[in-house]
Structure formats: C-alpha cells, structure tokens
Amino acid sequence: MISETKQDLHEWIADWQEESATSMRATPAEEIRRHVRKRERLLIAWLVGDVVIGLGFAIFLLHRVLTHPDPIEKLAMGLLLLAVFAVGLFEGYNWRGSLAASAETTATYLTLALDRSRRLRRSLRAGWLLLGAEILVFVPWTWYQLHGNGVTPTAERSVLAWGLLFTMSVIGALSLRLAQRWATRDAANLVCLRSELLGGEAEPS
C-alpha cells in the first residue's frame, strides 16, 4: 500500500513537472512577438549609433573641405562627404516608416519582423558600397600624402600609411561580413518561427 502510494506520488510529480514545463514553453506566436520587440530595441540602438557616427564623420569632412588649403585634400574629403551623404539618403529611404510601424496580431508582428530583416540586409549591402568608395578615395589620397610634395617617403612611413589603410579596410570588411552573417542567421530563425506558427495554426483544422 505504501509503495503504491509512493508510486502514485512520483507519477503525479512527474505529470506536474511536465505540465509546468509545457505551460512555461513559449508558443511560436509568443516567440515572434518577443523576437520583434527585442530586434526593435537592437535596431533602434544600431540606427542611433549609425546616425551619430555618420553625422560626426560628415561634419569632420565638411570642415576639411571648407578649411583645408590643399585642393587635392578638398577633393578627396569632398568625395567622401558625397559618399556619406548618398548612403545617408539611402538609409533614410530604406528605413522609412519601418520603425514607426506597430503590430497588434501575430500575423502583423511576423510581417513587420520579415520586413525589417530585409531592410537590414539591404542596409548592410549599402555598407559595402560605402566601404568601396572610401577605399577608392583613400588609395590615391594616401599615395598623394606620401609622394605629393615630391619627396620620397621613408620606408617606415610608407609601411605605416599603407598598413593603416589595409588594416582599416580589413576591419571594415570583417565587421560587415560578421553583421551580414548575423542578419542572415537571424532571418533564418525568423523563418523557422513562421513555419512553427503556420504549422501550429494548421493542426486544429
């Protein structure tokens, strides 16, 4: 009798633990809502940082264009300023209306999340164009800084200048590549959540 009571108690505890784990496990709909809210906070922080850095860089370039006496320096900084301005316009077009959008149902949450994911990947592709434009400007600019005055630079100065340009280019490329891999993986997770949601909606019918 006592052994049967203990067995029943163990079975009841096991059933209770299983029910608790099931009730605590988030449904696909809850996962999608949580995903959208979390990504929205990350996206806002990323865009704010992007705007602050972009404005700071643009102000610096504009100052160089207006105050530097060397026309080659003015041209190089002006080209960079134009590239930053063009990317800024694209970013404004790319993200228009996205952050202000809201969702009430799981379906609209899903649509909003997929749309922001596509916009983020487009934004990162534009980052490659900006990086390429910067390299195209900085390569002749670096050569001019080294040889423009007609004096042959020392080996140490040449290595430092070209090494710095190469290092910054590699850092920029790696940063973009890592960001793209994260965005692609995040989009894949979102697609999985959509599949679970659609599967869960299809089961009752």
Side-chain angles (χ1 to χ4, degrees):
M1 182 70 179
I2 295 177
S3 61
E4 291 179 356
T5 302
K6 287 183 177 180
Q7 183 178 359
D8 292 340
L9 180 61
H10 287 310
E11 291 178 355
W12 180 82
I13 292 175
D15 292 340
W16 176 78
Q17 289 176 341
E18 183 178 356
E19 291 176 359
S20 298
T22 303
S23 61
M24 292 175 62
R25 189 180 303 118
T27 65
E30 292 171 343
E31 286 288 344
I32 289 174
R33 291 172 181 266
R34 187 182 306 165
H35 180 96
V36 173
R37 294 191 188 102
K38 182 178 179 180
R39 292 299 176 265
E40 184 176 24
R41 291 192 294 269
L42 289 174
L43 183 61
I44 291 175
W46 180 73
L47 287 177
V48 169
D50 201 30
V51 169
V52 170
I53 294 174
L55 283 176
F57 191 40
I59 292 173
F60 169 77
L61 293 174
L62 182 61
H63 178 266
R64 297 286 289 181
V65 170
L66 296 177
T67 62
H68 204 280
D70 191 337
I72 301 299
E73 181 79 11
K74 287 178 177 287
L75 176 62
M77 297 302 107
L79 290 174
L80 286 176
L81 180 60
L82 184 62
V84 171
F85 182 70
V87 171
L89 287 178
F90 172 79
E91 289 291 283
Y93 170 80
N94 184 48
W95 291 105
R96 71 194 189 285
S98 177
L99 296 179
S102 59
E104 296 180 356
T105 66
T106 302
T108 53
Y109 264 97
L110 180 59
T111 302
L112 182 60
L114 290 171
D115 178 65
R116 287 175 176 172
S117 178
R118 285 190 293 267
R119 292 172 189 256
L120 176 59
R121 282 173 285 170
R122 279 202 304 261
S123 180
L124 291 173
R125 287 195 292 270
W128 284 105
L129 295 177
L130 179 59
L131 178 62
E134 290 175 345
I135 293 174
L136 287 175
V137 171
F138 276 120
V139 167
W141 179 84
T142 301
W143 184 92
Y144 177 76
Q145 293 297 315
L146 292 172
H147 303 276
N149 57 5
V151 178
T152 302
T154 62
E156 291 80 5
R157 188 185 177 201
S158 296
V159 170
L160 179 62
W162 293 114
L164 179 61
L165 176 59
F166 176 78
T167 301
M168 297 303 295
S169 300
V170 170
I171 290 175
L174 286 177
S175 300
L176 284 171
R177 182 57 183 159
L178 289 174
Q180 282 187 317
R181 289 183 63 181
W182 178 86
T184 301
R185 186 167 58 251
D186 188 64
N189 292 337
L190 190 58
V191 170
C192 290
L193 288 175
R194 179 179 62 180
S195 300
E196 292 179 12
L197 177 65
L198 296 178
E201 291 179 347
E203 286 178 2
S205 60

